[in-house]
Coordinates of all heavy atoms in Angstrom, one line a residue:
G9 N 0.9 6.1 10.8 CA 0.4 5.2 11.9 C 1.4 4.7 12.9 O 1.2 3.8 13.7
G57 N -23.5 13.7 12.8 CA -22.2 13.8 12.0 C -21.1 14.5 12.8 O -20.2 15.0 12.1
K58 N -21.2 14.4 14.1 CA -20.2 15.0 14.9 C -19.9 14.1 16.1 O -20.9 13.7 16.7 CB -20.6 16.4 15.4 CG -19.5 17.2 16.2 CD -19.9 18.6 16.4 CE -19.0 19.4 17.3 NZ -17.6 19.0 17.5
F61 N -16.6 13.8 21.6 CA -15.3 14.0 22.2 C -14.7 15.4 21.6 O -14.8 15.6 20.4 CB -14.3 12.9 22.0 CG -14.6 11.7 22.7 CD1 -14.7 10.4 22.0 CD2 -14.9 11.7 24.0 CE1 -15.0 9.3 22.7 CE2 -15.1 10.5 24.7 CZ -15.2 9.3 24.0
T134 N -4.8 -5.1 3.4 CA -6.1 -5.7 3.3 C -7.0 -4.9 4.4 O -8.1 -4.6 4.0 CB -6.1 -7.2 3.6 OG1 -5.3 -7.8 2.6 CG2 -7.5 -7.7 3.5
L136 N -6.8 -1.9 5.6 CA -7.1 -0.5 5.2 C -8.0 -0.5 3.9 O -8.7 0.2 3.7 CB -5.7 0.3 4.9 CG -5.1 0.6 6.2 CD1 -3.5 1.0 5.9 CD2 -5.7 1.8 6.8
D161 N 16.1 1.9 8.2 CA 16.2 0.9 7.1 C 15.5 1.3 5.8 O 16.0 1.0 4.6 CB 15.6 -0.5 7.5 CG 16.6 -1.2 8.3 OD1 17.8 -0.8 8.5 OD2 16.2 -2.3 8.9
N164 N 17.4 3.0 3.0 CA 18.2 2.2 2.1 C 17.4 1.9 0.8 O 18.1 1.3 0.0 CB 18.7 1.0 2.8 CG 19.6 1.3 4.0 OD1 20.3 2.2 4.0 ND2 19.5 0.5 5.1

Side-chain angles (χ1 to χ4, degrees):
K58 183 168 175 22
F61 290 126
T134 300
L136 285 163
D161 281 349
N164 297 326

